Amino acid sequence: MHIHKLEKIWLTLGGIMLAAFLIVLTINAFAMGNTPPSDLQQIDPTKVDQTPPFDKPGLVKISDNEYDLNMIGYAFGYTPAQVEIPKGATVHFHVTSRDVMHGFEIAGTDVNMMLTPGLVNSSTKTFNESGTYLILCNEYCGAGHQLMAAHLVVK
Ligand SMILES: [Cu+2]
């Protein structure tokens, strides 16, 4: 079988690029631990209010200026609706939904999660600037979707 010279070059370049991509992907996933945040902690969505830590949603201090924040998204709001944290605090968000799919975006930050009933989603963020951060739902969830918001106050 005859393969044109340019075709061989093109195939070789494609093969090299594919190999480079797979090497980078493998190093990232296994050596650096950069895997997608999937298959998270599971929860019975009909028993969210009885399942720790969501039976007592809110802020839990875990060490000096480091907190767990357990929140529930529902149609149409979040529990708790307002949280105060000190400036410089690192917050580990653990959020779930007790009804339908919701979003959890802290506007102006890189915290952006999808709240799927049955799963607990987590994200960590350090807040070095004081102010009021808007938490909003960015997954259309029903007639009151535009009302779904909470506030994180950094003092
Ligand atoms: Cu929603």
Side-chain angles (χ1 to χ4, degrees):
M1 187 176 75
H2 175 73
I3 300 175
H4 192 277
K5 187 182 152 203
L6 289 176
E7 190 100 18
K8 282 183 188 165
I9 294 170
W10 184 244
L11 282 171
T12 308
L13 284 175
I16 292 169
M17 283 169 68
L18 180 64
F21 172 74
L22 289 174
I23 290 167
V24 169
L25 190 76
T26 305
I27 292 170
N28 251 298
F30 296 104
M32 299 172 78
N34 289 329
T35 54
S38 57
D39 291 326
L40 305 162
Q41 187 195 331
Q42 299 196 351
I43 186 168
D44 182 344
T46 62
K47 294 194 176 77
V48 168
D49 296 327
Q50 294 100 58
T51 311
F54 299 101
D55 55 342
K56 294 188 189 87
L59 207 58
V60 180
K61 188 168 187 158
I62 52 173
S63 75
D64 193 34
N65 229 3
E66 190 173 4
Y67 299 86
D68 271 331
L69 178 52
N70 304 305
M71 284 182 89
I72 305 167
Y74 62 91
F76 300 97
Y78 297 94
T79 304
Q82 180 155 333
V83 180
E84 269 187 33
I85 58 164
K87 190 177 168 180
T90 297
V91 181
H92 305 282
F93 297 91
H94 307 286
V95 197
T96 189
S97 166
R98 67 170 174 228
D99 40 44
V100 297
M101 195 89 98
H102 294 288
F104 185 93
E105 177 181 354
I106 305 179
T109 72
D110 59 356
V111 178
N112 188 359
M113 299 185 279
M114 184 183 274
L115 310 183
T116 308
L119 293 175
V120 179
N121 214 332
S122 299
S123 184
T124 296
K125 172 94 187 149
T126 300
F127 293 86
N128 289 319
E129 282 177 38
S130 53
T132 300
Y133 291 79
L134 173 67
I135 299 172
L136 51 89
C137 175
N138 56 14
E139 299 279 336
Y140 182 72
C141 56
H145 166 69
Q146 75 279 5
L147 305 172
M148 194 167 165
H151 294 95
L152 184 71
V153 181
V154 182
K155 282 190 170 175

